[in-house]
Amino acid sequence: MKSRAFLPFWVLLWLCWLCASAVAAGLALEAPSRTAKGDAFLARAVSEKPVHTFRFHWQGKSFPVQAVHAEGLWQGLVLLPVDLDAKEGKGRLSVTCVGEERQNPERVGRDIVFFEKKRPVQRLTVDKKYVSPPADQLERIRADREKVRAAMADHLPQRHWSLPFARPVPGGVSSLFGVRRVFNGQPRGTHRGLDLRAAEGVPVTACADGRVVLTDDLYFSGNAVYLHHGEGVFTAYLHLSEISVQKGDMVRQGQMIGRVGATGRVTGPHLHLSLLVQGVSVDPQPFLAPAPGPTEQ
Ligand SMILES: [Zn+2]
């Protein structure tokens, strides 16, 4: 009789432990089940228990995100990229968290399937120095790349961005992200940004709050402004005629940062907008507020 009573007691304890772990595991992860190569996606972690920092794990890297307490839950939002040239057909996203009551982080995860979008070919004619740069410019081009790399290493752990991003100019799209470019008959890679219609001199405004991390005249990009919106989300505004901010400035969404121009490798005045998420160029279009009027294509 004694042993029969003893057994249910331990079963009960075991059940209690199971229940406790289910409560402690009150951690949820929201993310899309499919994402196009070349797009970024939004992932959200939600915890019922206090959390200081969520850590999202994606494609071999870990991205810490400060938790925000709202409506009785701790939440963390992150934008994560899928490279346009991703070889894999899917990725595994997971999240862990470290909080006051969590010494042993739990992990929840899900698979995200990658799919291809159609990427048309675009033929353009530009000054031949932008197709085959002269030898004396190669060092400058290398130095430009290094400046951009250094700017992208900026550390801004608070999220200053929110969606959608404000349009930097009112005009619609003139060239899509991911278009394969042929300059003067020679293939020159892929267009890793979004071209927006705008006349020379039109004010260019910040897509979101952030910090100016680079302003310079770059060989291919012309006059360029790079902004960091926090947690690894950057935007870049290229081919400007004029730059009206300085490195280190904090800017607000909608604040003027320069004017549209035709500097660098261009066929005419327009704004090239890049969105760089965790170091990867992705399509800005899905995150932009809709264009006013009938100019959007
Ligand atoms: Zn462009």
Side-chain angles (χ1 to χ4, degrees):
M1 280 296 281
K2 206 174 177 182
S3 65
R4 275 168 63 194
F6 187 70
L7 187 65
F9 171 74
W10 283 107
V11 169
L12 192 67
L13 261 191
W14 178 69
L15 281 172
C16 283
W17 178 82
L18 261 191
C19 291
S21 68
V23 172
L27 171 65
L29 173 63
E30 300 165 19
S33 56
R34 300 171 78 243
T35 300
K37 293 182 183 180
D39 277 358
F41 65 89
L42 199 59
R44 184 197 307 267
V46 181
S47 170
E48 294 168 353
K49 299 268 177 168
V51 174
H52 179 266
T53 302
F54 291 103
R55 274 197 199 92
F56 292 87
H57 307 272
W58 179 242
Q59 309 223 293
K61 291 185 184 162
S62 146
F63 305 99
V65 171
Q66 286 181 8
V68 175
H69 187 214
E71 294 167 9
L73 296 169
W74 283 260
Q75 303 187 39
L77 259 188
V78 69
L79 263 186
L80 294 169
V82 180
D83 199 298
L84 191 57
D85 302 321
K87 300 280 178 287
E88 319 80 51
K90 66 176 180 180
R92 178 76 180 171
L93 172 68
S94 64
V95 65
T96 53
C97 51
V98 180
E100 292 149 22
E101 300 178 21
R102 290 166 192 266
Q103 295 309 311
N104 300 306
E106 298 138 33
R107 183 184 287 255
V108 289
R110 63 176 304 168
D111 287 339
I112 296 175
V113 172
F114 305 157
F115 64 93
E116 307 266 0
K117 268 186 189 168
K118 270 197 174 166
R119 309 288 181 187
V121 174
Q122 186 181 34
R123 293 174 194 282
L124 300 166
T125 303
V126 293
D127 189 317
K128 67 176 188 304
K129 72 177 182 179
Y130 291 118
V131 181
S132 304
D136 62 353
Q137 291 299 314
L138 296 179
E139 178 54 28
R140 180 190 170 191
I141 291 166
R142 193 201 58 76
D144 285 356
R145 224 174 277 137
E146 195 44 52
K147 285 176 191 169
V148 171
R149 209 190 327 265
M152 302 293 292
D154 185 63
H155 185 62
L156 186 58
Q158 293 83 30
R159 179 163 61 90
H160 293 264
W161 54 270
S162 59
L163 296 177
F165 293 129
R167 295 185 86 84
V169 290
V173 174
S174 59
S175 181
L176 293 167
F177 175 93
V179 168
R180 283 171 296 133
R181 287 249 166 113
V182 178
F183 285 103
N184 304 1
Q186 298 188 38
R188 279 293 181 276
T190 308
H191 186 226
R192 304 225 173 216
L194 188 68
D195 289 350
L196 298 170
R197 280 194 203 91
E200 176 104 18
V202 165
V204 175
T205 56
C207 288
D209 294 359
R211 177 158 66 201
V212 180
V213 291
L214 179 65
T215 64
D216 212 332
D217 175 17
L218 307 174
Y219 186 79
F220 289 113
S221 303
N223 291 320
V225 174
Y226 280 71
L227 303 181
H228 188 185
H229 306 294
E231 294 178 344
V233 176
F234 294 74
T235 50
Y237 310 78
L238 311 186
H239 312 310
L240 306 176
S241 58
E242 190 184 310
I243 293 173
S244 50
V245 287
Q246 290 187 332
K247 187 178 172 184
D249 287 354
M250 293 301 293
V251 297
R252 302 308 302 262
Q253 186 180 56
Q255 183 180 329
M256 182 175 158
I257 56 172
R259 290 185 185 275
V260 170
T263 55
R265 185 174 64 185
V266 293
T267 55
H270 71 279
L271 177 69
H272 172 110
L273 173 68
S274 294
L275 172 61
L276 301 125
V277 173
Q278 321 302 350
V280 178
S281 275
V282 295
D283 189 356
Q285 199 175 21
F287 302 106
L288 279 187
T295 52
E296 178 69 298
Q297 283 192 335

